[in-house]
Every structure is written in structure tokens, then in C-alpha cells.
Amino acid sequence: MLLKALVVISGVLVIGIECRDFYSDLNLFHELQRPYRTSWEWSSPGLQSRSSDDEDRDREPLGPDYKDPIASSSEQKPLLQPNPKPAGGSQPPKAPSEVLPGGVIEVEAGDGVGVEDPFGIFRPSFDFKPLGFGDLFPGLNSNQWWKGKNVCIDREESTDDDEDGDDDDGESEEGKKNTTSKAPKSLPDLFSTSISLSNCFETANKYECITKVNNHGVFKTFTVRYKCCYGYSRSPGSGCTKKADLKPILDTLEDLKTDEFRKLIKSSGLQNKFADGNFSLFVPSDDGLNEYNEEIAESNNVDALRRRRASTQTLPSRDLVLSHTVEGFIDLTDFANDEVINSEYRNSTIRINIYPTNGNEKLVTVNCARVKNPNILAQNGIVHVTDRVVLPATEDVETIIRTHPRLSNLRKALEFTDIPSHLKPEGHYTVFAPTDEAFNKLDQVQKRKLLDGAGCASSILKYHFTAHTVCTSAIIGNATTHNVEGDNLSLERTVDDEIILEGKARITEGDIVATNGVIHLIDNIIIPDSGLYIGSVLQKQNFTSFQDLIKKAGLEEEINSLQNATVFVPTNKAFEDTETQNFLKGIENDQEKLKEIVRYHTVKGQLQSGDMNNNELLETYDDGEELRINLYSTLPLFTNVINRATVNCARLIGFDEKACGSSLHEVNKLLVPPTRSILDIIHSDGKYSTLSTLLQGSEVEEVLRGNNGSITFLAPTDETFAALDENDLKVLKENKDKANFVLKNHVLTEVLCCSGVGPQSWGFNSYVSTLANTQVEVGRTGSRVRINRAVVTSCDNLATNGILHTINKVLLPRQPQTASLGGLLFFDI
């Protein structure tokens, strides 16, 4: 066991020491970083509350003095605020999120073992907690509060539906609610008997056990949830022993000193409604309600357009009260981010958002109004105090944009994009909407292009949309989110209480709440790199040498007009290479040749790094000439982790720079199309004369002449052959069969670029197969690439059918170390 531990530790040290220069490529692929996707999705994972029709409950009674709350969701929800730490060392689980300095609004809907973001990428979520003595021996844990008094139990049973959703017999979804179903088609029945898996977890306010059962292919989930009965709460270090002094909901409002809202209830004649039924109220503080009334009064003093827009939010007292009212008992600790409930006012929606902060508390909003004092229990309901009026949401995002008097230009620009088709009624969107005044700040040419759908209008407008809800209350200091294109968006609340987007646009009117999201009006249009022409991005990123090459070739207009393309951009340093300078000097007066080189770096179709495949051929704009993508793992031990990419053996060192409908990737070499086969390279170079002679009439000669572009040939020079024993060299020259076998040992059956070779370390070896059905060991020591005991002296000679490396030793097949009378000393010497 100790030996195994030492081996593992040695492996980690090797990786840390010898692979440190390879980590710069680790951000290439989706498995290793936050992914970026070209095909974006607008819908976050839906989380819907259960209805009483969907579940079979068995719960202890709450007591004669309490009315029955409505059923809550079975999802594990993020905590509203930290409760005292339970004994035994367990901590409440944290919602999957990214906590950044000053506050954050990057929160996905849902919680649990993982979370799927709006782009469909699953990201694991881990919850670590200290391991106590009671965790090792559960039977000895004396703090099993859920077995004590005043604990109510919810039990649920559900049957997993078929994954593909097919309904072969035409039965409706309503008819299938309480029936069992067969195993999903993608999961064969591997068990002849029943099997069950259980998982129990504890949060600050509940203990829950989930058991999944496969009974001969029928999948069921059983959930048992223990919570303090209504009116009881946990005391620090004990069970549900703390009993609340519950009063009727109207008396509770009086105790909370929400006098203005109580006056509204009285003036609306709703006292009896709240005395007789069970309701949850989102009650604005007196200051918040007074501020709302002042805003309504001020709207009468502005122009007619602004007044018309404000009037839609002016409600009679009765409707205003009902818009803050939800039937039943709404406990905010039972909800996750971006869940929606309906109010008593025309069934308008109330969207609940939960945002992490720098502390352990969570910032909760309802229709973007901040909840100041949540979960105040009453005899017949729950009260939540907010910092301002909760305006009802009755229109979706698209309708608000279509009718808002200050968004006429945005409405027109969106007509020429596919954005409206992605706005779903059940979605969660944020629109940073440029006003008409923001459009007027553009020069007339750029404004006209945007309004006509030209000039990368779609990319520019998508930059202003997110697929999750961002309320201004969540912006505390600095915060970060991402839009539907995967770009990070920074927001900052200034000392003057203004919110700035990307340091360029100011939110002039925030939190216009829709049924499927929220809209913020901004005073400037942000033009991202994805909205710039390729030439502008090259200039911005300081790719001056490649930009000069484009100019010399006379292709500036052609490159800038490209959309849905990929450009591999050589660095300025790549142009300093002596061989590159000599090549360009030889064609500097031939504009057609210059055009070919520029077009050879440009591929049809937008290709992101995460969508690249090994040995993939990409068609270029150079009359269809092809580039070859290769992917490699250069990390010892982690041989299945792809961390490096090459194009025609040029290493990709920068990825996924965006331009107008296109992608740019940075490479460390100028890409020159090959014109000769491997065999032609050998025959035309005098240093390979011995090799050329040995190849004549062999099987390998045909391989090197062919069109298979997926091979690597290791070419010994005349000097290398001369270093062999005279008898061995004589055998190779006189015996074609043995020479052919040796030559096959120099043909690798895959493309192996020098930059794709990882470090050579003790205990971690990489092997590549040869045409002779043998394997050669490959590795890098410093800057030297070694193949068995041979050193590659010249790398990556590109051919039409593969690549050629020059080596300084002949790779003779390995044989047992016993003398042979035949004189074949085929050792790797």
C-alpha cells in the first residue's frame, strides 16, 4: 500500500514539474473549462412546483390550531439564509454558483448534484462538509432531530417517464400521471431482480431521503422528507422545540408595522378575505409603498409617452393588494432560483430569484423587489416584507419591447434576426435593451445597418440578452453574468448608485418585469468583438503582421465580408521565423500567391475549439485546399485528456476569438499548403539518397506515394545509415524483405506532430503503432523529441499525404538479446 501511495505521489510531482509548460493549452476543450458553444439555447432548465394531483401524501396532522399549507416542491432548494449550525458538524448545502467580489448574479435554476446551464452543459456541484464521529457511525449520532417531536413527514412516490417521451398507444400525459412505465429505451433492463439506491441528506430546515428503485425495469423514486411542523422551528443544537406565537395574518401585519399596506387592505374591503382564507403576502414596507405613490404622482408631470407607459403600472388599491397575494403557504426556503408562482390579481406571475452574496446569506427577490424580512408565520399564512412594491407581470418580454415607446428602434432591429423565435413563454430572460436614444448615438451608417439587419446586427443584439433573470438588486458592487453567446458581462454599481454594463452603458430604467424575465433600459449600444469585422478584430488584438499580409494580397474587403468562417491567425512572432521570411520574400511580387496564402488560413464555416475533432479535414477558401486538425494529450498519466490542438502541425495557442459571425484561432506558424508527397520530398533531397534507394520497389514506397494523409514517416539521413554496422547496412541493401520490414517500422499509422508529443517521464510512457505492427516509444526531453532512442532533428515537414520527421538513428525492430547466427542484429541502437 505504501508503495502504491509513493507511485501516485511521484506521478503528481512529475506532472507538476515536467508538464507546467503545457497547462496553457488546458483551456482548449469543454471538458477542462467553462464551455463556450456556438449553438446557444435560450431556455434554462425548467423547475416546476408539484400540484396536489401529482403526489400521494402521508403526513402527520399539524394540530387543531393550524390550517393546512399548500404542498411544496420536492426539489432540494437553496437556503434563504443561514440557520444555526446543527450539531454533528453538518452544513447546509450551497447552491451551485460563482461567488465573486462585491456580489454576484450568476445563478442557475435548481440545486443538487449538478446544474445544467442555459447552454445545455452539465457542470458538477460538490458540497463538502466536515466528517464527524457521527458520520462514520450513524447509529451513534445523537442529534437525529427528525425523529423527535413536532416533526412532520412528507412522503412522495413518482415513476420515471420514458426519456424519449414517445406515447406509442396515444395515451395522454394526464392519463399517465399515476401509472407505471417501462424502463427508458436508452437504458436496457440489466437486472433480473429489484435493486434500490438511497441517498439521505440534511439541511438546516429538513432531513430528506431519496430512494430510487428498479423493479424489473420499472423505475420509481420514493422521497421521505422530515420538517418541523408548521409553527415550530429548530433551536440551535436541538430539534423542533421552538414554537411560534402565531396570530391572524392581519394582526401579524400590524405587529410588523406595515401600516400603509394594512390601510390598502382596509380601503379595498379585503379584510374578510384575509381573515377567512390561507394566503401568503409579499408586503412592501411603508417606505417602499410611499415611494411607489410618489413615482405615480411624478408620472403625471412627464411627457405623454412616459405617462402612457407608467399608467400600465398604476393599479387600483384592490388590484394592488391582490398582486401581492398568493393563495396558500409560500415558504421561500422551498423554492429555487427563477421559479414562478401566480398572484390573485389576474393570475399574474411572481418570479422568485435567489442570488448568492459574499456571506452565507442569500439575496432573494420577488419580481425584482428585494425581500427584507422573509417567512414570518401567521395562523393562516406567511408574510414576506419587501423593500418596494411588487409590480405584477402580465406581459412577456417580446410584448413589452413591441409596445414600449422608447424601444421602437430595438423592435425594428429584432425583426431581421432569429432572436424572437427563441423567446419562449416559460423562459427566464434578461434584456439590456438599448433605447431609441442609444441607437441615435450611432453614426447614421451603422444605425442603418443595425435597423436593416446588416452589419452583424444579430451578433450585436444577442450580446444584450441573457437566458437567466438578472435583477438590479443583485448588483452589489461588482458582479458578473454571461449572455446567450457565452460572453461574460460585467456590471458595476457606482457610488452614485448607478449600474454600469461593461463599463460602457448605464441602466436608465431597471427591473421592467415580464412574465418570462426582466428588461433594463440602457443608454448605449455595446458593440462586442462578435459584432466587428475580422479586420477590426485583427487590429484590436494586434495581429499586425497577418493584417499587413492581407493588405498586400488586396483581400481586405473580401476578409471583412466573411461571415460563418474560421480564420487561423499566425502570431507576429511567426512572421519573424527565417524560413517564413524567405518564403514570403520569394512570393512578395506575386499577388496571386499571396492571396492563396491568406485564403489558406481561412476555413468555411465557424468552428469553435470545443467542436474540433482529431484528424478532421477543413476546407479552405484556397480553392478547397484542406487543413488538418489534430488533437493530442501531452499529460502523463492522464492520457485520455485532450489538452493540445494543431492545424497542419502548427500549434493552436489562442482560441475562440470572435468576429462578425466568425471565429479566430491563433497559431504559432504560417500555414503553407504542401505541394509534394512524402516520397517526393525524400527523392528530391540529397541527404536521403540511401533511404531513397532502399525504398525502391518496396511496399513502403507505394504507401509514401499514396494519398493517405494520416501517416507520419521517420526519415533517417545518409549520415544516419552510415552509422550502422556495415553488415547490417549490407543486409538492408541486399535483402528487400528485411529492408521492407525495417522501413515499415519507420511509418507511424497516425499523424504525430512534434508539438503533440508530451514530456518523457519515468513510469509514464507513450507509444505509437507502426506499419510493421510494432510500437515505438515517444516522448519529449526538454526541447528534444525522442522516438525510441532516436532524436528528431527536423520536425513537421508537411506533405500532401502526411508529415515527415528527420531522425538521427535507424529504428531497427527490437529482438531478444541473444546472438543470432543470421547476423540480424535488429536492435534499436
Side-chain angles (χ1 to χ4, degrees):
M1 181 63 70
L2 179 59
L3 179 59
K4 291 182 179 179
L6 290 174
V7 170
V8 172
I9 293 171
S10 299
V12 173
L13 290 175
V14 167
I15 294 169
I17 296 172
E18 299 203 25
C19 300
R20 59 185 180 272
D21 60 328
F22 292 92
Y23 289 152
S24 60
D25 288 352
L26 287 179
N27 61 351
L28 175 56
F29 300 104
H30 291 320
E31 294 85 355
L32 300 173
Q33 70 156 10
R34 179 182 178 91
Y36 172 81
R37 285 186 35 179
T38 326
S39 56
W40 42 274
E41 301 174 15
W42 291 73
S43 56
S44 298
L47 293 176
Q48 300 179 352
S49 300
R50 302 188 323 277
S51 66
S52 57
D53 295 334
D54 297 333
E55 57 191 31
D56 179 18
R57 289 190 167 275
D58 179 14
R59 192 188 64 190
E60 297 176 7
L62 295 177
D65 298 332
Y66 306 122
K67 298 182 180 181
D68 196 13
I70 61 172
S72 60
S73 171
S74 64
E75 298 283 351
Q76 180 188 352
K77 310 299 182 187
L79 298 176
L80 180 71
Q81 58 186 7
N83 288 329
K85 179 180 177 181
S90 63
Q91 292 280 6
K94 294 182 179 180
S97 60
E98 299 174 16
V99 181
L100 300 179
V104 70
I105 42 76
E106 185 72 280
V107 188
E108 310 297 347
D111 197 4
V113 296
V115 60
E116 186 179 357
D117 70 10
F119 299 85
I121 302 301
F122 181 85
R123 293 181 292 165
S125 172
F126 301 97
D127 178 30
F128 296 98
K129 64 179 183 178
L131 187 64
F133 189 72
D135 297 312
L136 293 174
F137 304 98
L140 300 179
N141 192 339
S142 60
N143 188 38
Q144 294 178 332
W145 60 268
W146 55 90
K147 293 184 178 181
K149 296 181 179 180
N150 306 318
V151 174
C152 290
I153 307 172
D154 290 341
R155 293 186 176 91
E156 302 170 18
E157 175 184 340
S158 62
T159 303
D160 295 343
D161 292 329
D162 193 311
E163 280 187 348
D164 58 11
D166 293 339
D167 190 3
D168 297 334
D169 57 7
E171 184 181 7
S172 67
E173 287 298 321
E174 186 67 27
K176 293 195 300 182
K177 279 184 179 179
N178 297 315
T179 62
T180 58
S181 64
K182 295 182 179 180
K185 294 180 179 179
S186 60
L187 295 175
D189 183 9
L190 302 178
F191 305 100
S192 58
T193 58
S194 297
I195 184 171
S196 64
L197 298 173
S198 296
N199 178 42
C200 296
F201 60 90
E202 178 184 356
T203 71
N205 66 331
K206 69 179 177 181
Y207 180 78
E208 186 169 314
C209 288
I210 300 174
T211 302
K212 293 185 177 292
V213 177
N214 173 7
N215 186 11
H216 300 282
V218 178
F219 293 82
K220 288 191 174 184
T221 300
F222 299 91
T223 302
V224 180
R225 186 180 301 106
Y226 302 81
K227 295 182 67 173
C228 293
C229 294
Y230 188 76
Y232 288 88
S233 60
R234 293 183 60 195
S235 299
S238 64
C240 301
T241 58
K242 190 175 181 180
K243 183 178 180 180
D245 181 18
L246 302 184
K247 298 180 180 181
I249 198 168
L250 294 177
D251 293 342
T252 302
L253 292 180
E254 184 176 4
D255 291 344
L256 292 172
K257 301 187 183 306
T258 52
D259 299 330
E260 296 299 326
F261 195 77
R262 286 181 65 250
K263 290 178 183 177
L264 281 180
I265 294 176
K266 184 177 180 180
S267 64
S268 305
L270 292 172
Q271 299 98 315
N272 292 337
K273 178 181 180 71
F274 292 117
D276 297 337
N278 296 334
F279 296 98
S280 292
L281 296 179
F282 296 94
V283 180
S285 64
D286 285 354
D287 289 342
L289 195 53
N290 290 332
E291 182 180 350
Y292 170 77
N293 291 328
E294 291 174 3
E295 290 176 355
I296 296 300
E298 288 177 2
S299 68
N300 296 323
N301 300 322
V302 300
D303 59 84
L305 288 178
R306 291 289 300 276
R307 185 164 61 253
R308 185 167 74 243
R309 182 63 196 173
S311 65
T312 62
Q313 300 295 317
T314 305
L315 299 174
S317 297
R318 180 183 178 86
D319 292 342
L320 187 63
V321 171
L322 293 179
S323 69
H324 290 74
T325 305
V326 178
E327 185 178 6
F329 290 64
I330 300 298
D331 183 344
L332 291 179
T333 60
D334 288 334
F335 286 82
N337 184 52
D338 258 330
E339 287 199 74
V340 175
I341 54 180
N342 297 100
S343 77
E344 293 286 285
Y345 170 67
R346 297 183 181 180
N347 210 36
S348 63
T349 60
I350 295 179
R351 180 178 300 274
I352 298 172
N353 286 105
I354 303 173
Y355 303 104
T357 65
N358 283 336
N360 291 327
E361 296 184 359
K362 296 185 183 300
L363 187 153
V364 180
T365 64
V366 287
N367 279 8
C368 287
R370 183 171 183 173
V371 178
K372 297 172 57 179
N373 195 358
N375 293 336
I376 303 163
L377 304 184
Q379 284 183 0
N380 60 326
I382 302 179
V383 177
H384 313 281
V385 180
T386 63
D387 67 344
R388 63 176 187 256
V389 168
V390 179
L391 296 175
T394 57
E395 299 175 330
D396 62 17
V397 164
E398 193 172 2
T399 301
I400 293 175
I401 293 175
R402 188 169 59 248
T403 59
H404 199 290
R406 299 179 64 194
L407 299 178
S408 59
N409 285 328
L410 177 61
R411 177 175 67 251
K412 184 176 181 180
L414 287 174
E415 292 175 356
F416 295 95
T417 72
D418 62 344
I419 293 175
S421 65
H422 291 284
L423 297 173
K424 306 301 181 184
E426 67 280 2
H428 319 284
Y429 311 111
T430 301
V431 184
F432 296 99
T435 61
D436 292 342
E437 294 84 353
F439 274 85
N440 292 335
K441 291 180 181 180
L442 300 174
D443 64 71
Q444 290 303 309
V445 174
Q446 193 171 34
K447 178 182 177 180
R448 177 51 50 194
K449 286 183 176 181
L450 274 178
L451 295 180
D452 292 342
C456 300
S458 182
S459 296
I460 293 172
L461 294 177
K462 287 175 185 176
Y463 193 84
H464 296 74
F465 283 75
T466 80
H468 47 271
T469 308
V470 180
C471 295
T472 58
S473 299
I475 314 302
I476 306 171
N478 297 324
T480 303
T481 186
H482 65 275
N483 63 20
V484 295
E485 293 271 71
D487 300 307
N488 287 333
L489 299 178
S490 65
L491 297 114
E492 177 188 5
R493 185 181 293 273
T494 68
V495 293
D496 298 325
D497 205 31
E498 291 185 334
I499 297 177
I500 309 299
L501 175 66
E502 285 291 288
K504 301 175 182 177
R506 180 173 58 91
I507 294 180
T508 58
E509 183 179 347
D511 299 332
I512 302 174
V513 181
T515 56
N516 57 347
V518 63
I519 296 175
H520 309 297
L521 304 189
I522 58 175
D523 63 354
N524 279 302
I525 297 177
I526 299 176
I527 309 295
D529 284 357
S530 57
L532 299 176
Y533 293 123
I534 293 176
S536 299
V537 176
L538 292 176
Q539 183 176 5
K540 183 177 180 180
Q541 299 298 328
N542 199 34
F543 291 118
T544 54
S545 297
F546 188 63
Q547 199 172 12
D548 290 343
L549 183 61
I550 293 173
K551 186 175 181 179
K552 288 180 181 178
L555 293 179
E556 289 176 290
E557 184 176 349
E558 178 180 314
I559 293 296
N560 284 332
S561 65
L562 289 178
Q563 293 194 37
N564 192 28
T566 301
V567 183
F568 294 97
V569 183
T571 63
N572 290 342
K573 188 176 181 180
F575 284 86
E576 298 173 3
D577 178 73
T578 303
E579 187 175 343
T580 299
Q581 289 181 345
N582 291 337
F583 171 78
L584 293 176
K585 187 175 182 180
I587 63 171
E588 61 182 352
N589 297 322
D590 190 337
Q591 195 171 47
E592 289 303 314
K593 290 289 184 183
L594 292 173
K595 288 181 178 179
E596 290 177 5
I597 291 298
V598 172
R599 290 168 177 162
Y600 190 63
H601 289 75
T602 310
V603 172
K604 299 177 180 179
Q606 187 175 8
L607 180 68
Q608 296 293 323
S609 60
D611 298 323
M612 294 178 180
N613 297 307
N614 186 45
N615 234 27
E616 182 178 8
L617 295 176
L618 308 177
E619 184 181 356
T620 71
Y621 282 90
D622 181 22
D623 293 330
E625 291 282 347
E626 294 178 327
L627 295 173
R628 182 183 298 275
I629 293 287
N630 286 104
L631 308 179
Y632 299 100
S633 172
T634 63
L635 299 175
L637 186 61
F638 302 101
T639 55
N640 292 326
V641 177
I642 302 300
N643 69 307
R644 180 156 298 180
T646 63
V647 52
N648 279 18
C649 283
R651 180 176 168 184
L652 271 70
I653 57 177
F655 315 99
D656 301 330
E657 196 68 47
K658 296 179 183 179
C660 182
S662 301
S663 297
L664 278 66
H665 306 290
E666 187 178 358
V667 293
N668 67 344
K669 294 180 183 179
L670 185 74
L671 305 179
V672 179
T675 57
R676 300 177 297 173
S677 68
I678 295 175
L679 190 64
D680 291 335
I681 294 175
I682 292 172
H683 287 331
S684 63
D685 196 327
K687 66 183 178 184
Y688 300 126
S689 59
T690 303
L691 176 61
S692 181
T693 301
L694 292 176
L695 284 170
Q696 292 177 9
S698 68
E699 295 178 31
V700 176
E701 183 180 27
E702 294 303 317
V703 172
L704 301 184
R705 181 186 287 121
N707 294 322
N708 183 357
S710 302
I711 62 173
T712 302
F713 187 71
L714 309 172
T717 62
D718 293 347
E719 185 178 355
T720 301
F721 277 108
L724 287 177
D725 183 90
E726 292 183 6
N727 292 330
D728 289 335
L729 183 58
K730 182 178 180 182
V731 170
L732 292 177
K733 290 180 177 180
E734 295 177 354
N735 191 320
K736 285 293 182 183
D737 290 336
K738 293 174 181 176
N740 189 64
F741 185 76
V742 171
L743 291 172
K744 284 183 177 180
N745 207 45
H746 291 71
V747 180
L748 306 184
T749 56
E750 62 184 69
V751 173
L752 180 67
C753 300
C754 283
S755 58
V757 178
Q760 194 168 25
S761 304
W762 177 84
F764 303 101
N765 300 320
S766 298
Y767 295 91
V768 178
S769 298
T770 71
L771 196 61
N773 293 323
T774 61
Q775 287 191 324
V776 293
E777 182 182 344
V778 300
R780 179 186 296 275
T781 305
S783 60
R784 290 186 173 186
V785 174
R786 294 183 176 273
I787 301 176
N788 284 352
R789 297 182 184 177
V791 175
V792 176
T793 58
S794 177
C795 276
D796 302 335
N797 297 289
L798 199 65
T800 56
N801 58 345
I803 56 175
L804 178 147
H805 302 310
T806 304
I807 57 175
N808 67 352
K809 288 185 184 293
V810 178
L811 303 181
L812 299 175
R814 296 178 182 272
Q815 296 288 342
Q817 296 186 11
T818 56
S820 163
L821 295 178
L824 292 178
L825 302 179
F826 282 172
F827 295 104
D828 179 17
I829 56 177

